[in-house]
């Protein structure tokens, strides 16, 4: 039976004749180096059906045909002479037009194509064509160009990002650079380097820190905004503004201080009026008890008068001794009852005196509390900032245990606060730092909800000028989204805090510049902002 040839890369297409039914027949005649010279040679060497050079030639129905053109199921014997003649014919490489100069016998053509560097093959990485007849299919290139393609032009080759050193597919490099945190971008405000003409370049991830702490062209509010100065200016103009408007700032701050002192005085006056009302109430109670005591004294006088009359009756009425004795006994009984009444009134008076003493003690305590509040309010200028230098020891053990770490309480003005760190679940994860509002002694006198601006500074023990900083402030959206973080505490501290869920990774925090003797130092700065 004839041999059936198939080839996914089209090698048979290059060597044999392909007919309309998709089958491969005789050898391609156009590949011959010496073409057939006469009709007799064509009759002997060409298949009568496919007109290709005979391969496994045989006689069928009086004509010479190649073994593939004979119907299936028909027995046939090859003509050895034709096979030998065809096999010895010299042919060129089917890819001669591409530049291959190979030529040899017919039988070696297939073996040559296995090694021919001009043969189109699929891209080993599987990249696809974007246009042409093979659009959407795996790209084909000549063998000799595969290595160059994989090195220089294949969109699926791996490249190393020069900024973050991560491996990225070639076709993904441009989108990657648009999101790469280490890619340098110009300052959004186009600030320049040390007065030069070149715009400062900053890593994409450091842009917020640069704008918050370094950029001389960043718009800032005047530090005396809370006192009424509504000027906004670039950072480089801030010193000049503060010098030029120093007298205005002083006047605004003094006006604000006077207003607060007036409010404080009014509050203290209200408390003093309340205490005065309580004293008047105690005095009224004492006056009422005094009237009761006077009535009891009057009754005692009346009783004494009755005793005197009884005594006189004894002197003048000896004959009526029995009757007088009975009356005297009755008077004595009245005297005993009156004594009991006197004792009861005395007990009530002692109770009233005790209550008066207690009221006086409470008034003294409240007066002491008012004095302490006055001392606090008048011994400090209006406080609007808070500062905590938090040294955390045993950092490695805390990270391994994934435990929560709380700081000592500290005050921002009269607000009591506490810092909290949640260590990440793995070494490459981010460290979460938050600020919690605690229950304080002056909460009923403060404004709620609280609003502030905070800065976290991780101390660099090697270079103090290169600390790791992060700054953010509470916005109106934060107050609406996380109301429980800024309300007045009803217990030890609020259940929710507010800060940054990803300040720095565990790997970075354990670096020598931040971690010294298994300890780190985190500075927390808080500035109160005006209520919205």
């Amino acid at each position: 039976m004839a041999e059936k040839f198939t080839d996914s890369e089209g090698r048979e297409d290059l060597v044999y004749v392909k007919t309309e039914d998709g089958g491969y027949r005789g050898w391609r005649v156009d590949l011959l180096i010496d073409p057939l010279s006469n009709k007799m040679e064509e009759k002997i060497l060409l298949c009568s059906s496919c007109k290709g050079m005979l391969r496994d030639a045989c006689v069928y129905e009086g004509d010479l045909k190649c073994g593939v053109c004979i119907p299936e199921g028909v027995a046939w014997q090859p003509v050895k002479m034709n096979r030998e003649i065809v096999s010895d014919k010299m042919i060129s490489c089917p890819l001669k037009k591409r530049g291959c100069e190979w030529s040899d016998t017919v039988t070696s053509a297939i073996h040559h194509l296995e090694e021919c560097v001009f043969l189109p093959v699929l891209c080993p990485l599987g990249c696809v064509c974007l246009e042409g007849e093979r659009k959407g299919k795996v790209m084909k290139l000549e063998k000799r160009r595969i290595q160059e393609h994989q090195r220089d032009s294949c969109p699926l080759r791996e490249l190393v990002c020069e900024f973050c050193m991560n491996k990225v597919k070639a076709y993904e490099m441009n989108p990657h650079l648009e999101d790469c945190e280490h890619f340098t971008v110009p300052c959004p405000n186009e600030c320049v380097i040390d007065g030069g003409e070149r715009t400062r370049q900053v890593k994409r991830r450091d842009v917020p820190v640069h704008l918050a702490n370094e950029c001389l062209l960043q718009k800032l509010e005047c530090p005396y905004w809370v006192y009424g100065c509504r000027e906004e200016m670039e950072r480089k103009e801030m010193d000049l503004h503060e010098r030029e408007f120093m007298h205005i700032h002083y006047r605004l701050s003094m006006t604000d201080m006077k207003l607060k002192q007036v409010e404080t005085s009014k509050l203290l006056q209200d408390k003093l009026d309340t205490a005065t009302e309580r004293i008047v109430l105690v005095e009224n109670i004492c006056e009422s008890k005094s009237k009761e005591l006077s009535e009891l004294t009057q009754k005692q006088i009346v009783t004494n008068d009755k005793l005197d009359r009884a005594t006189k009756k004894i002197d003048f009425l000896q004959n009526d001794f029995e009757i007088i004795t009975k009356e005297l006994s009755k008077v004595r009984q009245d005297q005993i009852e009156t004594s009991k009444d006197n004792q009861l009134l005395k007990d009530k008076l002692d109770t009233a005196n005790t209550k008066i003493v207690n009221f006086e003690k409470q008034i003294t305590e409240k007066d002491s509390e008012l004095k302490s509040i006055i001392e606090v309010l008048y011994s400090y200028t209006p406080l609007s900032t808070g500062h905590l230098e938090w040294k955390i020891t045993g950092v490695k053990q805390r990270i391994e245990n994934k435990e929560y770490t709380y700081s000592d309480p500290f005050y921002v003005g009269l607000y009591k606060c506490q810092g909290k760190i949640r260590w990440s679940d793995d070494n490459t994860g981010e460290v979460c730092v938050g600020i919690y509002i605690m229950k304080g002694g002056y909460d009923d006198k403060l404004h709620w909800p609280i609003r502030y601006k905070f800065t976290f500074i991780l101390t660099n023990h090697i270079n103090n000028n290169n600390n790791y900083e992060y700054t953010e402030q509470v916005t109106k959206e934060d107050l609406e989204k996380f109301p429980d973080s800024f309300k007045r505490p009803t217990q030890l501290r609020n259940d929710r805090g507010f800060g940054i869920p990803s300040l720095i990774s565990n790997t970075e925090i354990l670096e020598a510049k931040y971690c010294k003797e298994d300890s780190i130092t985190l500075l927390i700065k808080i500035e109160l902002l005006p209520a919205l």
Side-chain angles (χ1 to χ4, degrees):
M1 295 298 292
E3 181 181 359
K4 300 293 183 181
F5 291 90
T6 56
D7 193 301
S8 61
E9 295 185 359
R11 293 185 179 86
E12 302 300 339
D13 285 328
L14 299 175
V15 180
Y16 297 111
V17 176
K18 187 174 183 181
T19 58
E20 295 179 356
D21 60 1
Y24 298 103
R25 307 302 186 192
W27 295 91
R28 286 173 50 190
V29 179
D30 60 305
L31 297 179
L32 288 173
I33 294 177
D34 297 323
L36 300 180
S37 58
N38 53 57
K39 296 291 183 179
M40 181 56 69
E41 194 173 18
E42 290 181 4
K43 184 176 182 181
I44 294 174
L45 298 181
L46 298 184
C47 173
S48 60
S49 294
C50 65
K51 301 305 179 181
M53 285 191 298
L54 293 167
R55 86 189 202 212
D56 292 333
C58 64
V59 178
Y60 178 73
E61 294 181 353
D63 294 320
L64 283 174
K65 294 189 177 186
C66 66
V68 182
C69 291
I70 296 176
E72 293 186 7
V74 177
W76 56 276
Q77 281 289 77
V79 180
K80 293 183 179 180
M81 180 189 68
N82 287 72
R83 175 183 291 179
E84 292 173 359
I85 295 172
V86 172
S87 299
D88 292 338
K89 282 291 183 180
M90 297 293 290
I91 65 172
S92 301
C93 176
L95 302 172
K96 182 178 181 180
K97 292 182 179 180
R98 290 181 177 266
C100 183
E101 298 179 355
W102 175 89
S103 63
D104 206 336
T105 60
V106 167
T107 55
S108 59
I110 294 295
H111 301 291
H112 163 70
L113 288 175
E114 296 291 338
E115 302 174 355
C116 182
V117 295
F118 292 89
L119 181 69
V121 295
L122 300 175
C123 172
L125 298 179
C127 67
V128 298
C129 296
L130 301 178
E131 56 186 14
E133 296 179 355
R134 293 186 59 80
K135 183 177 181 181
K137 298 181 180 179
V138 178
M139 182 175 290
K140 272 190 176 183
L141 302 99
E142 294 178 356
K143 279 187 178 180
R144 60 178 180 155
R145 301 189 186 280
I146 285 295
Q147 187 173 359
E148 177 185 355
H149 170 72
Q150 286 183 281
R151 184 185 66 246
D152 300 330
S153 60
C154 182
L156 296 181
R157 70 188 187 281
E158 285 190 342
L159 302 177
V160 177
C161 175
E162 63 178 306
F163 299 99
C164 65
M165 307 308 293
N166 290 328
K167 290 183 178 180
V168 184
K169 298 290 185 182
Y171 76 94
E172 295 176 343
M173 180 58 74
N174 288 337
H176 167 74
L177 292 178
E178 292 179 359
D179 298 326
C180 180
E181 291 293 325
H182 296 268
F183 183 76
T184 56
V185 296
C187 170
N189 295 328
E190 299 183 355
C191 67
V192 297
I193 300 176
D194 298 331
E197 297 180 356
R198 187 162 58 89
T199 302
R200 183 182 297 274
Q201 300 292 316
V202 187
K203 288 184 179 181
R204 182 176 278 117
R205 71 173 183 177
D206 295 335
V207 168
V209 176
H210 168 69
L211 294 177
N213 303 319
E214 301 172 356
C215 182
L216 297 178
L217 301 181
Q218 179 66 15
K219 287 285 187 177
L220 299 175
E221 295 178 353
C222 174
Y224 289 85
W225 184 280
V226 295
Y227 299 118
C229 181
R230 292 295 183 264
E231 293 291 333
E232 291 187 3
M233 68 219 72
E234 297 176 352
R235 180 178 274 111
K236 65 181 181 180
E237 301 172 349
M238 185 61 73
D239 291 340
L240 178 61
H241 169 74
E242 290 184 350
R243 289 195 300 271
E244 292 180 348
F245 289 82
M246 182 182 297
H247 61 290
I248 296 178
H249 291 165
Y250 175 77
R251 196 175 301 160
L252 289 173
S253 61
M254 290 302 297
T255 300
D256 183 76
M257 185 184 298
K258 289 178 180 179
L259 290 175
K260 289 184 177 180
Q261 288 178 346
V262 169
E263 292 177 358
T264 304
S265 300
K266 183 178 179 182
L267 179 63
L268 294 176
Q269 185 62 43
D270 291 341
K271 292 190 174 184
L272 184 61
D273 292 343
T274 303
T276 303
E277 291 176 358
R278 292 183 178 179
I279 292 173
V280 171
L281 179 61
V282 171
E283 290 177 348
N284 292 335
I285 294 174
C286 293
E287 184 178 354
S288 175
K289 295 300 180 182
S290 298
K291 289 181 179 180
E292 292 181 3
L293 182 60
S294 177
E295 292 177 356
L296 292 175
T297 303
Q298 189 66 30
K299 288 183 179 181
Q300 181 67 38
I301 293 173
V302 172
T303 303
N304 291 336
D305 290 341
K306 289 182 178 180
L307 183 59
D308 290 340
R309 287 196 298 271
T311 303
K312 289 178 180 181
K313 285 183 180 181
I314 292 173
D315 292 337
F316 289 102
L317 298 173
Q318 292 293 333
N319 296 328
D320 299 328
F321 178 74
E322 185 176 355
I323 297 172
I324 294 173
T325 301
K326 291 180 180 180
E327 290 180 356
L328 181 60
S329 176
K330 184 178 180 181
V331 169
R332 287 178 178 176
Q333 187 66 31
D334 291 340
Q335 187 178 10
I336 292 173
E337 291 178 357
T338 302
S339 298
K340 290 181 180 180
D341 291 340
N342 290 340
Q343 184 64 38
L344 180 60
L345 291 175
K346 183 180 179 182
D347 292 340
K348 288 183 178 182
L349 183 60
D350 291 340
T351 302
N353 290 332
T354 302
K355 289 183 178 180
I356 291 172
V357 171
N358 290 335
F359 279 129
E360 291 176 348
K361 186 183 295 185
Q362 290 179 9
I363 291 172
T364 302
E365 290 175 355
K366 292 298 181 181
D367 185 63
S368 175
E369 181 181 352
L370 290 175
K371 288 181 180 180
S372 66
I373 294 174
I374 293 172
E375 290 176 0
V376 171
L377 293 177
Y378 281 94
S379 62
Y380 293 94
T381 58
L383 297 177
S384 62
T385 61
H387 178 273
L388 172 65
E389 183 174 352
W390 185 7
K391 184 175 182 181
I392 305 170
T393 60
V395 175
K396 294 181 180 178
Q397 187 65 36
R398 294 177 187 276
I399 293 177
E400 291 177 0
N401 295 340
K402 303 177 182 63
E403 62 184 9
Y404 292 94
T405 303
Y406 292 89
S407 72
D408 293 330
F410 63 100
Y411 278 90
V412 181
L414 297 177
Y415 295 88
K416 190 175 183 182
C417 303
Q418 187 177 39
K420 176 182 176 183
I421 292 181
R422 177 173 61 81
W423 307 95
S424 176
D425 295 337
D426 55 76
N427 288 337
T428 59
E430 299 292 331
V431 176
C432 173
V433 182
I435 299 170
Y436 286 74
I437 308 302
M438 300 189 69
K439 191 172 184 179
Y442 308 99
D443 290 352
D444 60 335
K445 304 171 183 64
L446 302 176
H447 295 286
W448 302 96
I450 181 174
R451 181 171 172 260
Y452 54 83
K453 175 182 179 181
F454 63 90
T455 301
F456 298 136
I457 304 176
L458 185 59
T459 301
N460 189 325
H461 299 289
I462 298 176
N463 183 0
N464 289 334
N465 294 326
N466 197 19
N467 295 329
Y468 186 91
E469 294 189 17
Y470 180 86
T471 301
E472 193 172 346
Q473 70 178 25
V474 177
T475 64
K476 181 178 181 181
E477 290 74 18
D478 295 330
L479 294 176
E480 296 174 352
K481 189 174 182 181
F482 311 106
D484 292 340
S485 300
F486 313 101
K487 66 180 183 179
R488 175 181 174 181
T490 56
Q491 49 189 0
L492 178 61
R493 61 172 170 265
N494 286 337
D495 292 332
R496 292 182 63 94
F498 186 81
I500 176 173
S502 56
L503 178 66
I504 192 172
S505 68
N506 291 346
T507 303
E508 290 176 306
I509 207 171
L510 292 176
E511 292 178 0
K513 61 184 178 180
Y514 299 131
C515 189
K516 181 178 180 182
E517 298 178 356
D518 200 23
S519 300
I520 62 173
T521 300
L522 181 64
L523 300 179
I524 300 178
K525 296 181 179 180
I526 302 179
E527 177 183 352
L528 294 180
L529 299 177
L532 295 175

